[in-house]
Amino acid sequence: MRSMKPFTIQLMNWPGGPRKIIGKSVLLALFLLLFLSCSGDIREPVIIWTDRQEFASYAELFNASQDTIKVVVVYKDSPVESLPPARDELPPDVVVGSWLRNDTTIKQFRSLDSLFSNQLINQSIYYPQLLTYGSVQNRQYLLPVSFNLPAIIFATKNSHLVTEDHLLSTDQIRDMASTFNKKNKSNIHTSMGFAPSWSPDFLYTLVQLKGGNFRGNKGTLAWSQEKLELSVDYIHHWTESVNDSVQEEQDFAFKYLYTPETRQILSDSCLFAFTSSSQLFATPKDLLQEISFRWLHEDNRIPVEDDMVFMGIHKNSRNTAGAESFVSWFMKEESQHQMMERSTIMNLSITSFGIAGGFSAIQNVTERVFPTYYKTLLDNVPAAQYITAPTALLPRWENLKTRVIIPWLSEVAMSKDIQSVTPLEQRLADWSKQHH
């Protein structure tokens, strides 16, 4: 038997994943790896690093589609933070995950331009703005896999209160929500349309829509201070002019909004709730029938959420040809249709939406295939020309956003005296000390 470098496959910590499927695909791949090694066959399996549980199923589907290349799925809690590989670790061939598009991590990938020039993948299949987001200096290093969009949901029974058919701006949400507000004889709110302070994720999305533009810039966090201040003023004015005070918003939330967002709007406690397409379309079908939605926009720009999923081939791949075969197979409309069909048959779609937890970056799949599985999309597939890619981010963006930006925005939104809030720059400096 020829010598083999060891590698680790982690199964125990796959969050919520279909363990039987993962175990079966990995054990099969390991068996094939040992068999090929003992028989003297020099072919190696394609190793995929990912935190997306759906790829266990996709790997099985690919392995069954042909008999010359086999893929092994290796779970990584955060692929972006696992790069570069440790010195004694077998490098991946393919990496799939969020936050890969940053100035540091993108150097870990090889150019994919040959996939286009050799006609293994047609560039025109993608949403062009998402494909461009994965390129640097006109060279393609990452291919978009899936993405999610911010949505505003409301009970179908209240559709008559929503005057727009497909999109809602923050101004429209504010104005429509105000008509839903009601008070009792004690001047206490018994219903409240919507409040920015209820959702930290809404606050962040609003700031980005208004031009706050949090982004990575040569390894540091940058933003537009002017637009950020204007966004904070906008939030405070909304609260004071529509809901009287942030205290009333929070008191109302404490009293009425202790159930999931879908239950809140169905109980008529509030008119709107903020959510993501991934959460919306993972809602049980019977409940989804009672819900309507609109895409959140500003000037016809619907922002793609930061955690969009990318796929790339590692620069030190040991099986580049096999990796290219898997990537080109994955990026076919027919393959993704099969993935969704398999997910439906095996009931995997109960916990995961679409392709790798989101809309497919292949435009035809999202616009033509998705509505056959998600009937509520028939009337409101997101318009391609409105979809806007996020800005380039930092490798530790998820941690930075969760621990610094979101808490700061929430505190500022709920504070009467902004000067009493620790400045964002100071919080960023404290966070940097802990992570460097």
Side-chain angles (χ1 to χ4, degrees):
M1 180 182 293
R2 65 189 178 92
S3 63
M4 295 165 48
K5 290 186 178 180
F7 62 95
T8 301
I9 295 181
Q10 301 169 318
L11 294 178
M12 299 303 293
N13 296 323
W14 198 298
R19 190 170 299 175
K20 290 182 179 179
I21 296 173
I22 298 169
K24 182 179 177 182
S25 62
V26 171
L27 288 175
L28 175 61
L30 283 175
F31 172 79
L32 288 166
L33 174 59
L34 292 172
F35 175 79
L36 292 174
S37 299
C38 292
S39 65
D41 194 318
I42 63 172
R43 290 177 296 176
E44 296 193 24
V46 174
I47 299 174
I48 301 175
W49 281 10
T50 186
D51 59 348
R52 299 303 317 181
Q53 64 183 29
E54 299 87 354
F55 271 81
S57 177
Y58 302 160
E60 278 198 336
L61 195 60
F62 173 77
N63 288 343
S65 70
Q66 40 74 54
D67 56 8
T68 57
I69 303 168
K70 300 303 170 187
V71 299
V72 177
V73 176
V74 179
Y75 174 71
K76 291 287 184 179
D77 186 57
S78 177
V80 66
E81 294 188 25
S82 298
L83 295 171
R87 292 183 62 183
D88 60 347
E89 187 175 28
L90 193 67
D93 297 296
V94 177
V95 181
V96 183
S98 303
W99 325 111
L100 298 178
R101 177 58 178 92
N102 62 78
D103 294 341
T104 301
T105 305
I106 206 162
K107 297 175 184 177
Q108 294 293 312
F109 297 97
R110 64 184 293 271
S111 171
L112 301 174
D113 290 343
S114 62
L115 294 176
F116 301 142
S117 60
N118 293 333
Q119 298 183 340
L120 294 175
I121 297 177
N122 187 338
Q123 289 175 278
S124 66
I125 65 174
Y126 297 101
Y127 289 92
Q129 60 272 48
L130 302 187
L131 182 65
T132 300
Y133 184 56
S135 67
V136 176
Q137 296 180 346
N138 295 319
R139 300 192 72 185
Q140 197 73 41
Y141 290 94
L142 295 168
L143 295 175
V145 172
S146 62
F147 64 97
N148 281 291
L149 301 173
I152 299 297
I153 57 174
F154 52 94
T156 303
K157 61 184 177 182
N158 289 325
S159 294
H160 63 285
L161 299 175
V162 181
T163 57
E164 300 297 318
D165 290 334
H166 304 293
L167 308 173
L168 282 177
S169 68
T170 53
D171 284 354
Q172 291 169 330
I173 295 166
R174 179 199 60 205
D175 295 344
M176 294 178 193
S178 68
T179 65
F180 198 77
N181 287 7
K182 293 182 179 61
K183 292 184 177 181
N184 59 20
K185 294 180 180 179
S186 300
N187 203 36
I188 296 174
H189 279 95
T190 55
S191 62
M192 187 176 288
F194 184 75
S197 65
W198 291 345
S199 172
D201 289 330
F202 177 81
L203 293 174
Y204 173 79
T205 305
L206 183 151
V207 169
Q208 293 294 76
L209 282 170
K210 298 293 184 181
N213 198 24
F214 287 111
R215 64 197 183 279
N217 181 28
K218 297 181 180 179
T220 62
L221 180 66
W223 64 87
S224 168
Q225 186 63 30
E226 178 186 4
K227 296 294 186 181
L228 179 58
E229 292 175 358
L230 289 173
S231 298
V232 171
D233 289 343
Y234 180 90
I235 293 165
H236 285 166
H237 182 263
W238 180 336
T239 292
E240 294 163 5
S241 63
V242 176
N243 299 328
D244 296 338
S245 70
V246 70
Q247 187 62 54
E248 294 220 21
E249 291 179 346
Q250 293 303 302
D251 289 346
F252 184 86
F254 179 79
K255 186 174 182 179
Y256 295 104
L257 306 183
Y258 48 83
T259 58
E261 286 82 357
T262 50
R263 296 296 181 185
Q264 295 169 16
I265 58 174
L266 292 176
S267 68
D268 278 344
S269 296
C270 56
L271 175 60
F272 294 124
F274 178 78
T275 191
S276 166
S277 53
S278 61
Q279 297 173 313
L280 173 60
F281 294 108
T283 303
K285 290 184 178 180
D286 57 337
L287 197 58
L288 196 57
Q289 292 177 350
E290 301 180 61
I291 297 171
S292 295
F293 69 94
R294 300 290 186 268
W295 303 116
L296 180 62
H297 83 108
E298 189 79 7
D299 298 326
N300 290 332
R301 293 178 294 108
I302 308 175
V304 169
E305 295 190 343
D306 293 341
D307 61 349
M308 66 179 295
V309 178
F310 276 101
M311 174 183 292
I313 297 178
H314 193 262
K315 65 180 182 180
N316 293 329
S317 167
R318 291 158 56 97
N319 188 353
T320 302
E324 289 182 344
S325 294
F326 174 78
V327 171
S328 60
W329 170 86
F330 185 90
M331 295 300 178
K332 286 183 171 57
E333 183 176 340
E334 179 184 2
S335 298
Q336 296 202 1
H337 198 165
Q338 292 172 355
M339 295 174 207
M340 295 186 66
E341 183 176 9
R342 189 172 197 266
S343 178
T344 300
I345 292 173
M346 300 184 71
N347 273 338
L348 303 179
S349 58
I350 294 176
T351 57
S352 180
F353 165 54
I355 295 294
F359 287 115
S360 173
I362 298 176
Q363 189 170 335
N364 275 350
V365 174
T366 288
E367 295 183 348
R368 299 179 184 179
V369 179
F370 271 57
T372 65
Y373 292 93
Y374 302 97
K375 302 301 182 184
T376 52
L377 277 173
L378 286 169
D379 297 326
N380 202 1
V381 172
Q385 67 270 28
Y386 296 161
I387 296 173
T388 305
T391 54
L393 303 169
L394 298 171
R396 293 181 178 269
W397 179 247
E398 184 176 22
N399 185 288
L400 173 59
K401 178 180 175 182
T402 302
R403 294 180 178 271
V404 178
I405 297 176
I406 293 292
W408 182 83
L409 284 174
S410 295
E411 191 171 339
V412 166
M414 291 187 284
S415 176
K416 294 180 180 179
D417 180 15
I418 301 177
Q419 301 303 319
S420 65
V421 178
T422 303
L424 179 58
E425 293 84 353
Q426 181 60 52
R427 296 194 183 197
L428 179 61
D430 293 341
W431 178 87
S432 297
K433 291 177 183 178
Q434 297 174 5
H435 291 84
H436 290 88

